[in-house]
Amino acid sequence: QKEVEQDPGPLSVPEGAIVSLNCTYSNSAFQYFMWYRQYSRKGPELLMYTYSSGNKEDGRFTAQVDKSSKYISLFIRDSQPSDSATYLCAMGLDTGGFKTIFGAGTRLFVKA
Amino acid sequence: ETGVTQTPRHLVMGMTNKKSLKCEQHLGHNAMYWYKQSAKKPLELMFVYSLEERVENNSVPSRFSPECPNSSHLFLHLHTLQPEDSALYLCASSQRGGGEGYTFGSGTRLTVV
């Protein structure tokens, strides 16, 4: 079993839709959780990070962590064509430990 | 210039060549990383340097050789690569261990022929 599972997609939605991106994980000891966005021919860019269960909101983006279910989500409200990218979840045991585990990424297309 | 800069952006090399990838960070971070990104696979951690000392080497073949001369610069020396080494090589930096996120460069797209 992989430590982090992420549906590769692609996921295609119309402009203005609410997008839900998800990852599951197997290691209940993970302490921090992140979402990165990667545009074509670019490196990943950090969107959000959190250390606790619950929701964290930043503009149109909401990150949700459910440690009891070992499940994290990223919601994008009012999606825009500029949100078309690959979204990577990431998580790790120890903020000082240099070992973050990444999901393989979900490819998202937002159609105008 | 700000952020993490990687050069070259694209590289095509033969299996007998020797080449180097360069990374520079302008963020004052104290850790730097090399990651390999292959299609539809998770990022694979290759090497980690913290305060210029290597702290992680993820069973990477010896044909990849990292060098970190100071906290702002990181190199990846390549020699006698195989076609399966073709991938996007990403450099990243972070403060401490990366639990507050990495800043990535745009990567070097490597093709081994």
Side-chain angles (χ1 to χ4, degrees):
Chain A
Q1 183 185 11
K2 293 180 185 176
E3 280 194 283
V4 178
E5 299 269 7
Q6 185 175 12
D7 187 337
L11 179 62
S12 183
V13 301
E15 184 175 359
I18 296 175
V19 175
S20 173
L21 303 165
N22 311 296
C23 287
T24 59
Y25 60 95
S26 58
N27 190 339
S28 57
F30 282 143
Q31 293 189 26
Y32 63 86
F33 305 88
M34 302 176 193
W35 286 95
Y36 287 83
R37 176 177 62 197
Q38 186 173 19
Y39 291 116
S40 181
R41 289 185 284 278
K42 294 284 190 181
E45 168 195 14
L46 180 68
L47 279 177
M48 302 183 73
Y49 71 89
T50 181
Y51 301 126
S52 57
S53 282
N55 293 351
K56 182 177 181 180
E57 191 172 319
D58 184 0
R60 296 186 296 111
F61 298 91
T62 299
Q64 187 176 80
V65 174
D66 182 345
K67 287 188 176 181
S68 62
S69 301
K70 290 184 277 191
Y71 189 89
I72 69 170
S73 300
L74 178 71
F75 298 97
I76 307 174
R77 289 184 299 281
D78 187 25
S79 56
Q80 303 296 309
S82 58
D83 295 325
S84 298
T86 297
Y87 290 80
L88 310 174
C89 64
M91 53 199 76
L93 296 170
D94 173 3
T95 59
F98 306 105
K99 284 190 103 170
T100 296
I101 310 298
F102 286 84
T106 298
R107 190 83 187 270
L108 171 67
F109 294 97
V110 181
K111 300 171 292 185
Chain B
E1 197 164 349
T2 59
V4 177
T5 304
Q6 287 188 246
T7 55
R9 292 295 309 275
H10 301 274
L11 178 62
V12 179
M13 58 186 288
M15 289 191 283
T16 57
N17 291 159
K18 287 185 181 181
K19 295 286 184 183
S20 296
L21 310 185
K22 179 183 174 183
C23 176
E24 184 173 0
Q25 61 102 354
H26 310 271
L27 300 165
H29 287 166
N30 55 26
M32 295 187 76
Y33 309 74
W34 282 115
Y35 277 91
K36 177 183 178 183
Q37 187 174 35
S38 303
K40 299 187 179 179
K41 288 187 177 180
L43 293 179
E44 296 175 49
L45 178 63
M46 300 176 73
F47 301 102
V48 182
Y49 279 82
S50 176
L51 299 172
E52 302 151 46
E53 287 192 22
R54 191 191 302 182
V55 296
E56 191 74 36
N57 174 359
N58 253 17
S59 302
V60 178
S62 60
R63 56 186 183 269
F64 296 91
S65 174
E67 178 189 0
C68 186
N70 56 59
S71 60
S72 298
H73 294 86
L74 186 64
F75 295 89
L76 188 63
H77 304 299
L78 316 171
H79 64 98
T80 59
L81 295 190
Q82 304 298 310
E84 61 264 27
D85 297 321
S86 299
L88 182 68
Y89 288 85
L90 290 162
C91 174
S93 69
S94 75
Q95 202 63 294
R96 303 191 299 157
E100 295 171 0
Y102 300 134
T103 301
F104 284 90
S106 292
T108 295
R109 174 66 63 184
L110 173 67
T111 304
V112 181
V113 297

